[in-house]
Amino acid sequence: MALLEVNTIHTYYGAIHALKGISIQVEQGEIVTLIGANGAGKSTTLNTICGILHPHQGSILLDGEPIHGLRPHEIVARGVAQAPEGRRVFGRLNVIENLEMGAFARKDKAGIRRDMERVFTLFPRLKERAKQVAGTLSGGEQQMLAIGRALMASPRLLLLDEPSMGLAPILVEAIFDTIREINAQGTTILLVEQNALMALSVANRGYVLETGNIVLHDSASALQKNEMVRKAYLGEE
Amino acid sequence: MRAQSRTPWSNTVRTGLLGGVAALLLSLVGLIEASAQRAIITGVLSMGHTLLLLIYVWAAQQAVRRLAADGERQPSRLETLTHGALAGLLISAVLAALVLLGQVINLRAVFINASPALFDLLTLKLGTWLGGGVLLVVGVVLGLLVASLSFIPSQFRKPLVLGLAAIPVVSVLASALFAIRGLSLLGALILLVLVAAASYLWDLKKGAVRERMNNLTPTGQRTTRWLRWLLPAVIVLLLPLLGKYPSEVLDNVGLYILMGLGLNIVVGFAGLLDLGYVAFFALGAYTMGVLTSPEIQWAGARLTFWEALPFSVLVATISGILLGIPVLGMRGDYLAIVTLGFGEIIRLVALSDWLKPYIGGSNGITRIPKAVVGPIELATPQTLYYLIILGCLVVAFVTIRVKDSRLGRAWMAVREDEDVAQAMGIDLVRTKLLAFATGAAFSGLSGAIFASKLTSIYPHSFHLLVSINVLCLIIVGGMGSIPGVIVGSLALVGLPELLREFSEYRLMMYGAALVFMMLNRPEGLMPEARRKLELHEAEGGAGE
Ligand SMILES: Nc1ncnc2c1ncn2[C@@H]1O[C@H](COP(=O)(O)OP(=O)(O)O)[C@@H](O)[C@H]1O
Ligand SMILES: [Mg+2]
């Protein structure tokens, strides 16, 4: 049984039909990427999984149990956490307070402390800036914090929405290295990216999303070779 | 930093003219004339003149400070004096122009306050030409004096400024509280010397005192820490000894503190802009009235104040939740408009003929009994004061405890970013409803005490303006800060009551205070530590 199973979901913003029957499967231990142009519906997909948006049709199963009717905090409690697009750290809180906020749903103090250490090991930069107010961190540090904050929920499934957005290439490399490491430590990842090249290089499998439809899905290596993907997303003629 | 491109001269001219416009405005709205009735130093200085004086001090000080801050080099003494004098001169020039204009055309047709009495005040009764000249000279002299303050070494400057500032403060307090008509010149001088000396000595000995405190035994340190709390506590408890009228004022301040602490949770902690907050105050008051007044027949046996109090709080709390449910999905301005409507609806319903048989319509509810504690009926403002203080303590305690709890952190997350808060596992519905409910409960408590304080309530007591007042005092005090609510209430509720000349200008003062705060101290008078930190770091340019 797949860890996450998204079955033909339709999501609307008022009259706007943003997701037109999307199906995605994520197996335990995988990195799966969802690539697509701006406005394709990638963030909408993640927010629907998280329960911030609700699908009008279709179902979302976590470990075979439906979660599409649940509220966001209930879904977090079941082990799904998101690092949202644009980072959105709590600008007035310092690094530690942001991380604590990520563990809001948990009550196991020892586990929280262990996970905080884990985040600091993954991102030593955050440890150096533990008391700094998040609003004054650099873009790359904020992205690390956003990922760290999501990890603090101790998720089984981590949803990352465009972690490379607006970062210098060298930072993008570093972030993707860490994503690989987080996955190696046992967290399943659904990675949303416009940067298809990077995303496919870390992922096991990928889905290509266009205006609310999945137009292609395959193993990452196959997608990297795919003619259409190369033209549309890897910038080749 | 803001005005890097401007030359020092244009800066000073701008500041001087700004001061002139402020002085003109205060004159034309009648504030100067009205407050000239009150003496600060009998026969020497009226409050009207003091207000003008403050403008001169502000402008000259601002000009000198900017001069020192903006230039690449230290300004010379002559430059400093010139800039101070110019700022003072410009204010006088604006006022002199007003006086002159007043002789040529009949300003009163448009500005009813441009009266001969005002002109006499501005020209010191010396006539248009001589007085106008003197006005200009006085402006220059004041500018020079303020500028030369910056030459005094700072260990003497601070005591001097404090001593000077103490004169109007003490005088206003004394005359407002005890109907003393201003200080005598000698009294003012003694006050100046005493305050200055105390401040000087304190600065001198501060280090030694701290050191001695640190060297105390742990028990000794604990005692001094207790003493530091005890002294203000004793003062707070003794305040009613000031008399009936000051107690009355303090009671009103206390009721606003209760409301302020409640709205502070909704707006300051959870970031939900609620403009209909008075509704819960009204519901608390009406519940008290309905359950206790012998006028009301339909609501069963008459309760005492203490029996009715929990119901007041309960009714307000439930209404807080009921209002919260429909506005759960709303943010910012939509929320503000809907809650504003809610506040007005409650008032209009209370006023309506439909409920008149039950809650009295425009006649309100009267004969609400006072609270009774043991053998004492809390009938005087002095005794009521203690009830209100108790309420404030309870509410402040709850607020402090909640702020550092899980719920407090959830509110903070919702305030910062609702979507992310949800994604962190925070139950948005519960968190928002608890904010509305807690805020409403505090307001209901305030309303219940209000009803028993006045013994009669009318729909017009629950005007939109109450909500606005509470919001203003939170902003002025500092969003999210508990001491801020207290200071804000004292400043916006207490002060205008003491200065009855100002009562007509209350809203203008609120407006001025808000604009001033937004420009100069957006974090409020007593900011929450976090906000202060944030604004500080922004100033330091530590951002990306
Ligand atoms: N809050 C919203 N209200 C209305 N339409 C929205 C909203 N958010 C996104 N959309 C629309 O839904 C579509 C998908 O958006 P999104 O999921 O953000 O795309 P992506 O993340 O792939 O860039 C776009 O057409 C976008 O305009
Ligand atoms: Mg997106």
Side-chain angles (χ1 to χ4, degrees):
Chain A
M1 185 179 20
L3 175 61
L4 177 76
E5 209 176 298
V6 176
N7 297 320
T8 52
I9 52 166
H10 292 257
T11 301
Y12 291 79
Y13 292 102
I16 300 171
H17 195 174
L19 299 185
K20 302 166 184 159
I22 284 184
S23 298
I24 296 173
Q25 289 209 0
V26 182
E27 301 291 335
Q28 178 75 42
E30 274 190 311
I31 300 185
V32 172
T33 184
L34 185 61
I35 55 181
N38 200 2
K42 305 181 297 295
S43 300
T44 307
T45 305
L46 291 194
N47 286 336
T48 310
I49 295 172
C50 280
I52 293 172
L53 298 171
H54 291 285
H56 282 221
Q57 277 175 52
S59 65
I60 304 175
L61 309 179
L62 188 73
D63 279 335
E65 284 183 36
I67 57 166
H68 49 270
L70 300 182
R71 309 242 314 278
H73 69 274
E74 295 167 323
I75 294 175
V76 176
R78 286 174 187 232
V80 180
Q82 181 184 187
E85 181 177 317
R87 313 189 257 275
R88 294 172 77 168
V89 294
F90 295 111
R92 295 165 199 247
L93 308 196
N94 67 29
V95 168
I96 291 186
E97 290 167 326
N98 264 279
L99 293 176
E100 284 171 351
M101 220 43 121
F104 190 88
R106 302 168 64 185
K107 299 211 170 71
D108 53 324
K109 286 233 172 76
I112 292 174
R113 212 171 313 121
R114 216 174 322 115
D115 280 340
M116 179 102 60
E117 277 315 308
R118 176 184 171 209
V119 169
F120 283 147
T121 321
L122 284 168
F123 302 108
R125 277 288 276 281
L126 291 183
K127 186 161 195 173
E128 290 165 29
R129 296 171 193 261
K131 294 279 172 175
Q132 189 169 328
V133 176
T136 64
L137 295 173
S138 75
E141 290 159 353
Q142 290 191 0
Q143 185 60 59
M144 296 174 197
L145 183 56
I147 296 175
R149 187 178 60 184
L151 283 176
M152 289 302 292
S154 183
R156 289 184 291 157
L157 175 63
L158 176 64
L159 311 177
L160 299 175
D161 197 344
E162 301 207 30
S164 74
M165 190 200 257
L167 298 186
I170 185 152
L171 275 170
V172 175
E173 297 267 358
I175 293 277
F176 275 84
D177 283 344
T178 317
I179 291 174
R180 229 181 249 122
E181 202 178 330
I182 293 168
N183 178 246
Q185 290 174 1
T187 309
T188 309
I189 293 173
L190 176 56
L191 168 67
V192 155
E193 264 299 343
Q194 277 191 60
N195 187 341
L197 186 63
M198 283 307 293
L200 289 172
S201 76
V202 299
N204 304 105
R205 295 188 300 112
Y207 291 80
V208 179
L209 190 59
E210 264 176 22
T211 55
N213 290 298
I214 301 278
V215 293
L216 206 57
H217 86 261
D218 210 331
S219 73
S221 50
L223 285 177
Q224 276 172 318
K225 296 192 196 91
N226 183 292
E227 199 64 17
M228 184 205 123
V229 172
R230 297 183 77 89
K231 273 200 178 135
Y233 302 105
L234 303 179
E236 289 183 11
E237 280 309 309
Chain B
M1 251 185 281
R2 273 174 294 176
Q4 211 87 60
S5 54
R6 288 198 198 96
T7 67
W9 286 111
S10 69
N11 242 331
T12 302
V13 169
R14 216 173 65 102
T15 310
L17 289 178
L18 203 63
V21 171
L24 192 65
L25 191 73
L26 291 192
S27 304
L28 289 182
V29 297
L31 196 57
I32 299 294
E33 199 187 327
S35 55
Q37 313 301 328
R38 196 188 282 265
I40 295 293
I41 303 174
T42 314
V44 180
L45 187 64
S46 73
M47 188 147 124
H49 280 137
T50 310
L51 285 177
L52 290 175
L53 204 61
L54 284 176
I55 294 177
Y56 282 101
V57 171
W58 170 81
Q61 208 273 350
Q62 194 75 359
V64 168
R65 215 189 47 166
R66 289 281 275 274
L67 178 68
D70 290 350
E72 288 101 53
R73 61 190 173 78
Q74 187 79 5
S76 70
R77 289 200 168 190
L78 184 64
E79 275 176 307
T80 304
L81 286 174
T82 323
H83 279 265
L86 178 61
L89 180 66
L90 283 169
I91 297 176
S92 286
V94 173
L95 291 178
L98 171 70
V99 174
L100 215 57
L101 199 64
Q103 307 308 315
V104 184
I105 56 173
N106 180 15
L107 282 177
R108 292 197 84 170
V110 186
F111 301 105
I112 43 168
N113 290 308
S115 62
L118 173 68
F119 297 146
D120 278 348
L121 269 169
L122 294 178
T123 56
L124 306 171
K125 292 202 176 117
L126 294 172
T128 308
W129 295 105
L130 181 58
V134 169
L135 182 61
L136 293 177
V137 173
V138 167
V140 171
V141 171
L142 284 175
L144 289 174
L145 282 176
V146 173
S148 54
L149 272 180
S150 65
F151 305 148
I152 303 176
S154 67
Q155 75 262 38
F156 299 118
R157 187 168 60 216
K158 193 177 142 212
L160 181 63
V161 170
L162 279 180
L164 287 172
I167 295 175
V169 172
V170 170
S171 173
V172 164
L173 281 180
S175 63
L177 294 178
F178 309 116
I180 292 170
R181 297 192 53 85
L183 299 172
S184 68
L185 188 54
L186 184 65
L189 283 177
I190 294 174
L191 183 68
L192 167 65
V193 171
L194 280 181
V195 171
S199 155
Y200 180 72
L201 287 177
W202 169 246
D203 276 347
L204 215 58
K205 297 271 190 251
K206 192 166 52 182
V209 172
R210 286 249 168 80
E211 186 135 338
R212 194 125 36 96
M213 294 252 285
N214 289 337
N215 290 338
L216 284 174
T217 58
T219 34
Q221 284 195 15
R222 215 169 309 137
T223 334
T224 47
R225 214 170 312 137
W226 265 105
L227 280 177
R228 206 183 293 169
W229 278 103
L230 199 63
L231 191 67
V234 168
I235 292 177
V236 166
L237 287 181
L238 290 182
L239 280 176
L241 293 181
L242 289 174
K244 188 170 171 196
Y245 175 64
S247 303
E248 174 80 35
V249 173
L250 287 170
D251 287 354
N252 289 336
V253 171
L255 291 176
Y256 268 96
I257 291 178
L258 281 178
M259 280 193 276
L261 286 172
L263 189 61
N264 188 45
I265 286 185
V266 184
V267 182
F269 288 2
L272 304 164
L273 185 51
D274 180 355
L275 292 184
Y277 191 62
V278 67
F280 309 115
F281 183 66
L283 285 163
Y286 266 96
T287 306
M288 178 56 72
V290 164
L291 293 180
T292 60
S293 166
E295 276 176 5
I296 306 286
Q297 317 275 313
W298 57 274
R302 303 293 76 203
L303 303 182
T304 67
F305 171 83
W306 294 106
E307 289 162 351
L309 190 62
F311 290 101
S312 283
V313 175
L314 192 71
V315 167
T317 309
I318 292 172
S319 331
I321 295 172
L322 291 181
L323 168 70
I325 291 171
V327 301
L328 274 174
M330 295 181 187
R331 298 181 191 191
D333 25 14
Y334 294 101
L335 177 63
I337 292 167
V338 172
T339 49
L340 185 129
F342 177 71
E344 280 298 278
I345 287 170
I346 293 289
R347 187 177 64 85
L348 292 174
V349 167
L351 197 58
S352 68
D353 285 337
W354 170 50
L355 286 180
K356 192 163 180 163
Y358 306 103
I359 57 175
S362 61
N363 297 330
I365 301 177
T366 58
R367 292 167 63 204
I368 299 168
K370 299 272 185 186
V372 177
V373 181
I376 310 167
E377 186 181 40
L378 303 183
T380 64
Q382 288 97 318
T383 48
L384 203 60
Y385 173 83
Y386 292 101
L387 175 66
I388 294 174
I389 286 284
L390 183 71
C392 288
L393 282 179
V394 170
V395 164
F397 178 75
V398 172
T399 308
I400 292 169
R401 290 308 295 264
V402 169
K403 188 177 181 179
D404 292 325
S405 70
R406 261 173 80 75
L407 181 58
R409 288 202 297 138
W411 282 337
M412 181 154 62
V414 169
R415 181 186 74 195
E416 298 294 309
D417 193 326
E418 238 180 80
D419 297 326
V420 178
Q422 280 196 83
M424 299 289 96
I426 288 166
D427 183 345
L428 209 57
V429 172
R430 207 177 90 97
T431 307
K432 283 190 173 184
L433 288 184
L434 276 171
F436 280 120
T438 318
F442 293 178
S443 191
L445 173 66
S446 186
I449 301 176
F450 174 80
S452 112
K453 171 175 179 275
L454 291 190
T455 67
S456 51
I457 49 176
Y458 307 96
H460 69 80
S461 314
F462 306 104
H463 211 268
L464 168 66
L465 215 51
V466 178
S467 300
I468 304 286
N469 285 353
V470 180
L471 192 63
C472 282
L473 74 86
I474 292 179
I475 293 172
V476 168
M479 259 316 169
S481 147
I482 296 164
V485 170
I486 298 169
V487 171
S489 303
L490 282 169
L492 291 191
V493 182
L495 218 54
E497 300 245 9
L498 287 185
L499 306 171
R500 264 161 300 175
E501 295 89 330
F502 287 98
S503 57
E504 266 182 71
Y505 305 101
R506 199 168 179 145
L507 284 177
M508 193 187 90
M509 278 173 56
Y510 280 19
L514 282 181
V515 171
F516 181 85
M517 294 300 295
M518 287 303 112
L519 289 177
N520 289 296
R521 242 182 112 90
E523 75 273 31
L525 290 172
M526 299 285 276
E528 188 205 359
R530 193 177 301 288
R531 260 167 225 255
K532 190 156 85 183
L533 188 73
E534 175 197 6
L535 285 161
H536 243 66
E537 296 208 358
E539 267 167 27
E544 275 178 66

